[in-house]
Amino acid sequence: MRTFPFSAVVGSDDMALALVLTSISPEVGGVLVRGEKGTAKSTMVRALAAVQPDQQVIEGCRFSCDPVDPDPSCPDGPHTDVVAVSRPARLVELPVGATEDRVIGSLDLQQALGSGRVSYEPGLLAAAHRGILYVDEVNLLHDHLVDLLLDAAAMGRSTVERDGVSVAHAARLVLVGTMNPEEGELRPQLLDRFGLTVEVVAPRDPALRSEVVRRRLAYDADPAALVARFADQEETLRSRLAAAQERLGRVDLSDWALTKIAAVCAGFEVDGMRADIVTARAAVAHAAWHNRTEVTRADIRAAARLALPHRRRRNPFDAPGLDEELLDRLLGDDDLEPEPEPPTPEPPTPDEDDSGTETSDAGAGAPPAEGAPPEEGRDTGGDEADPTDPGDRPDRAGAPAGDPGEPVPLSIATADRPYRARLLTVRGTGEGEAGRRSRALTSVGRTVGATPTAGSRLHFPATVRAAALEQQRRGRRPGDRLQLATGDLRTAVTEGRESNLVLFCVDASGSMAARRRMSAVKTAVLSLLLDAYQRRDKVGLVTFRGAGATLALPPTSSVEVAARRLEEVPSGGRTPLAEGLLCAAETLRWERIRDPRRRPLLVVVTDGRATSGPDALARSRRTATYLSGLGVDAVVVDCESGRMSLGLARGLAEDLQAQYVKLAEVNAEALAGVATAGRDVPTHPGTRRSAA
C-alpha cells in the first residue's frame, strides 16, 4: 500500500523536524503533535515509516531483536544460531479503544487451556520495537495506557507482571501522538512525559494552500505518479536519516553546551530536570542531522523550541508557545556584553485592556472613575435589584413590565483567577467511560467480581471454581489435569472511575446583580473545567436572558475553547427561565445520544424569576416538571438577594425534584462548592432526589 510521500508534505516544517529528531534518537521521548483537524498530522506520521532505513532482525523472533546486539532477556531467546533477515521499519497504530492486554501483551489462552502451559502473547509494544508506535487522538486514550506507552518509550523496555506471567522485553520505539486540542487536553503530568511537542496549523499563504491542494489531488488521481515524482527526495532523506543515526554516538556535547542548555531551561522556569535532558538529547540529534560532530548554539535553539513550550510554567488558559525573543536573549553571544533590559512598555491606551486587546465599548471589566456616575448596564455592587431596570420588574402575574421594544443595556463580566476545584462525584455506580471522577464499572481498576463470559481479561480463580464443580460429571480421575470447557471461562468485573458531565444553566439577565454573579459563575466553570480536563470530565454552560437561551459552552473538556467562549458571554435584559431549562434539556438529550453512558449533573443558577413572555412563571414551572421526568440529578442555586424574598427558586427546586441551596452571596468558591459537594448538600424537605 502506497503512502503519501513525506517529502511532499507542504507547510509542516516544525513537525517534520521533530519527527526526524526522534527518529534519529528515540531516547528523546517521542513527539506530541497538536493541531486543528485537516493539517496532515496523520498523513505525515504514516509517511515517516516509509523513509526509515531498513532493519536487520533475527528470523523468527517475535520481538524484532537486532542480530548484532540481541536482547539477552528476550522471551524468544537466547539467540545462538542467528539468521538475519532484512525488512522495512514498522509503523504500529494504537486504536483509542485498545485494552491494556492488547498494548503490553497477555497470557496466551490457547496455550494455557489447550496444553496447560503458561505462554506470553506479545502486544503492540513488542510489535513496535525498533519502529514507530502511532497513537491518533492520544488525548482520548485512557490515562493508564498513556502511562504505559510513555514509560516504555522513556525506558526502552516493557515489563509485564500479570496473570501468572512475568516477562520483560525491549521496547525501543519512536512514540508519536497526535491530538486536536478542541477535543480535550492531556493532563500536565502526561504532557511533560512527551519529549517534543509541536503546534501545526493550516498555512495562511494562498500559494502554499493551493500547492497543498494541488499535490493532494495529484495523489488521489494517480498515487504511483506522485510517489515516483518524489522518489529521489525520499531516498535522499532515507540515506540522510541512516547517516545521522550512525553519527549520533560521535557528537560531542561540551560543557559549554550543557551550561547553555541549563541556562535556557532555568530562564523559562521549567519544572524538574526532564526538560534539560530532553533538550540535550534533541540538540545532539539535531547536530547529527546537520552532519556536525559538536553541538552548537543553533542546535540548542532548535531543540529548545520543540522541548520547552509544553513545559514552561503558564496558566492553563494561556495559549501554548515559546517566547523566542527570550530564547535568543538566553542563548546570547558569549563574546558580547549582555543585551540591555527591554524598555518598560507604555501603559495601554483607553481603547485597550491590560493584554493589549480591544475592550467592549462599555469598558467592561474596568472600574469607573472616582466620583463618576455609574454607566448603564454596569453592576454598581449593590445587593438589591435595580428597580428602574425593566428587566428586573415582574408584575403580579409574572409578566414583563416596560416597553419590550426599548434597548436593553448589556455588559460582559470577566472571570476571576481560577482555583482548584474540589472533587465532584455522582452517587451510585455508573458504566461510563473510564476517567478519574465517579465510581463506575470500567475496563480497568480493582476486580470486584466475575461474569460467565469469555472476555479479554480472564478471571482465573472464578474460572477454576466454575470448572471444579463440573469435574465429577466430566469423569476426571485423581491425578488427571483439570478439565476445562468454554463455558467455564469467567471475565473479571472491575471497578474504577468514570468521567461525568456538569452542565451549568445560568441566569444571565439584568436582575439580581447579574454582572457580579456572571463573574463568579465564569470563574467557577473555568475552575471546574481546569479540574475536569485532568479527570476526563466534560463541562457545559447554558445561559438565558432577553427572549431566549443560548448554549454558550457546548459540553467540552478543552480549557482553551472554554476560556474563549466564556469570555464572550454577555448579561442583561429579562429572564426567560423556561427557555433556559428547555435548552438544558435539549443539550442533555443530545449528549445522551452521543454518549449514553456518561452521567450528568445539572446545576441551575437563578433567583427563580421568569419575566419574558406571557405567563412566564407558569411556563417555567411546567418546563421544570418536564425536565424532572428525564431522571437527571439537579441542583438549584438560589441567587436571590436583598431585603425581600419571593421564594421562587425554592418552588423551582420542588418542580425539578432537585436539591435546593440558598446562597445569599454568590461567589465562585460557594458555587463550585455546591457542584463538587454533590450529594453531600442537605436536601430541602419538600424535594426528593431523582435516580442517578
Side-chain angles (χ1 to χ4, degrees):
M1 179 180 177
R2 294 185 177 91
T3 59
F4 195 89
F6 189 86
S7 306
V9 179
V10 178
S12 298
D13 296 341
D14 285 346
M15 180 178 174
L17 178 60
L19 293 175
V20 163
L21 295 184
T22 197
S23 297
I24 296 172
S25 177
E27 291 81 3
V28 166
V31 180
L32 176 65
V33 184
R34 297 162 42 94
E36 56 196 15
K37 51 187 176 291
T39 50
K41 300 187 296 294
S42 301
T43 299
M44 202 163 192
V45 175
R46 295 187 176 100
L48 178 65
V51 297
Q52 296 293 308
D54 289 343
Q55 297 175 341
Q56 294 289 319
V57 299
I58 297 177
E59 186 178 22
C61 178
R62 297 174 298 169
F63 300 86
S64 306
C65 280
D66 188 348
V68 178
D69 184 21
D71 182 10
S73 61
C74 176
D76 285 353
H79 298 294
T80 52
D81 298 329
V82 174
V83 177
V85 294
S86 180
R87 73 168 191 202
R90 283 181 176 175
L91 172 67
V92 177
E93 296 194 36
L94 177 65
V96 172
T99 62
E100 184 177 348
D101 294 338
R102 189 69 187 96
V103 174
I104 64 175
S106 63
L107 182 70
D108 189 332
L109 289 180
Q110 184 175 359
Q111 293 285 343
L113 299 179
S115 60
R117 293 193 303 110
V118 176
S119 178
Y120 173 68
E121 181 69 23
L124 295 179
L125 287 178
H129 176 47
R130 302 178 64 202
I132 301 172
L133 182 61
Y134 172 44
V135 186
D136 193 14
E137 306 296 351
V138 66
N139 53 322
L140 304 182
L141 195 66
H142 292 171
D143 287 350
H144 74 285
L145 293 183
V146 180
D147 282 324
L148 290 175
L149 300 180
L150 294 173
D151 283 339
M155 302 300 179
R157 297 192 67 79
S158 175
T159 303
V160 183
E161 297 282 352
R162 60 180 303 173
D163 297 338
V165 175
S166 179
V167 173
H169 64 83
R172 188 173 182 267
L173 49 88
V174 176
L175 178 63
V176 181
T178 58
M179 60 174 284
N180 183 351
E182 293 184 357
E183 297 175 350
E185 291 282 358
L186 276 174
R187 290 190 293 121
Q189 297 89 334
L190 298 179
L191 187 62
D192 179 66
R193 296 291 297 278
F194 276 96
L196 309 178
T197 187
V198 61
E199 296 279 336
V200 292
V201 295
R204 298 295 181 253
D205 184 359
L208 282 179
R209 295 178 71 94
S210 61
E211 183 61 23
V212 170
V213 176
R214 185 179 296 111
R215 294 187 182 185
R216 184 70 231 188
L217 293 179
Y219 178 80
D220 293 340
D222 191 350
L226 187 71
V227 170
R229 174 183 165 190
F230 286 91
D232 291 342
Q233 297 182 38
E234 294 285 279
E235 184 58 35
T236 300
L237 180 58
R238 186 179 298 107
S239 301
R240 187 178 175 186
L241 270 174
Q245 291 172 350
E246 191 275 333
R247 189 183 304 113
L248 184 67
R250 302 197 302 270
V251 176
D252 178 41
L253 182 65
S254 64
D255 291 340
W256 169 87
L258 275 174
T259 303
K260 188 61 68 175
I261 290 172
V264 169
C265 294
F268 279 100
E269 298 182 342
V270 297
D271 294 324
M273 296 299 298
R274 184 174 285 119
D276 303 63
I277 297 172
V278 171
T279 304
R281 288 173 174 168
V284 170
H286 191 269
W289 174 244
H290 287 277
N291 197 19
R292 289 192 286 267
T293 57
E294 186 172 354
V295 173
T296 65
R297 182 178 282 104
D299 299 322
I300 299 174
R301 188 182 193 281
R305 289 182 61 250
L306 301 173
L308 300 186
H310 60 302
R311 293 187 169 93
R312 67 181 180 86
R313 292 183 180 177
R314 64 182 179 93
N315 188 297
F317 310 122
D318 293 341
L322 198 69
D323 186 347
E324 297 200 21
E325 292 185 2
L326 175 59
L327 176 60
D328 290 335
R329 290 200 300 271
L330 292 171
L331 287 173
D333 190 335
D334 295 341
D335 298 331
L336 300 177
E337 294 181 359
E339 294 184 9
E341 291 292 329
T344 302
E346 296 181 1
T349 63
D351 293 333
E352 296 182 351
D353 60 11
D354 293 339
S355 61
T357 58
E358 293 185 359
T359 60
S360 63
D361 294 338
E370 183 175 358
E375 302 176 36
E376 276 193 325
R378 183 184 298 278
D379 174 26
T380 59
D383 291 339
E384 299 184 8
D386 183 1
T388 64
D389 188 346
D392 292 333
R393 298 198 314 267
D395 60 13
R396 294 181 182 178
D403 182 8
E406 64 187 54
V408 178
L410 299 178
S411 63
I412 298 180
T414 57
D416 297 328
R417 183 178 180 84
Y419 51 88
R420 183 175 181 178
R422 294 180 298 177
L423 175 63
L424 179 151
T425 58
V426 178
R427 187 182 61 173
T429 302
E431 297 181 352
E433 293 295 329
R436 299 170 59 84
R437 185 69 57 179
S438 303
R439 290 176 54 193
L441 298 180
T442 60
S443 59
V444 295
R446 63 186 183 94
T447 301
V448 295
T451 57
T453 57
S456 60
R457 191 165 186 178
L458 188 67
H459 193 299
F460 269 100
T463 300
V464 172
R465 283 195 298 268
L469 298 176
E470 302 292 333
Q471 296 307 296
Q472 184 176 2
R473 186 180 63 82
R474 294 170 185 169
R476 177 176 177 264
R477 292 176 297 181
D480 290 348
R481 291 186 306 173
L482 184 69
Q483 297 184 19
L484 293 171
T486 303
D488 299 330
L489 297 180
R490 296 294 185 268
T491 298
V493 176
T494 53
E495 182 180 290
R497 295 284 174 175
E498 68 173 356
S499 60
N500 300 111
L501 166 63
V502 180
L503 180 64
F504 285 88
C505 184
V506 180
D507 178 2
S509 67
S511 66
M512 300 307 301
R515 181 181 176 83
R516 185 177 70 246
R517 180 170 71 251
M518 286 303 300
S519 177
V521 168
K522 287 182 179 181
T523 305
V525 174
L526 290 177
S527 301
L528 287 171
L529 186 62
L530 175 61
D531 182 65
Y533 95 96
Q534 298 175 346
R535 300 181 184 274
R536 291 289 186 267
D537 289 322
K538 285 187 175 181
V539 176
L541 174 65
V542 171
T543 61
F544 52 94
R545 65 170 185 83
T550 302
L551 181 59
L553 177 63
T556 180
S557 298
S558 175
V559 178
E560 297 171 7
V561 173
R564 291 197 299 267
R565 298 288 178 85
L566 289 173
E567 191 65 26
E568 300 169 358
V569 172
S571 58
R574 294 180 175 84
T575 311
L577 178 57
E579 285 75 8
L581 296 177
L582 284 174
C583 184
E586 185 70 6
T587 301
L588 294 177
R589 185 179 73 85
W590 278 109
E591 284 301 308
R592 184 171 294 174
I593 294 174
R594 295 190 183 99
D595 191 353
R597 298 192 301 167
R598 189 186 297 271
R599 295 188 293 169
L601 175 65
L602 176 64
V603 180
V604 183
V605 185
T606 181
D607 56 10
R609 296 189 183 191
T611 62
S612 178
D615 200 19
L617 191 56
R619 284 193 304 111
S620 66
R621 301 198 66 170
R622 289 195 299 268
T623 305
T625 302
Y626 160 74
L627 188 58
S628 69
L630 299 179
V632 178
D633 286 339
V635 177
V636 173
V637 180
D638 187 356
C639 299
E640 189 173 27
S641 60
R643 292 183 296 271
M644 297 183 61
S645 175
L646 299 179
L648 299 176
R650 187 184 298 274
L652 178 65
E654 294 175 356
D655 295 329
L656 278 172
Q657 300 182 16
Q659 301 175 50
Y660 171 79
V661 179
K662 177 68 176 177
L663 291 178
E665 295 292 333
V666 177
N667 56 64
E669 182 176 2
L671 179 60
V674 170
T676 54
R679 302 296 178 176
D680 297 333
V681 179
T683 305
H684 183 256
T687 65
R688 65 179 177 86
R689 191 172 292 154
S690 59

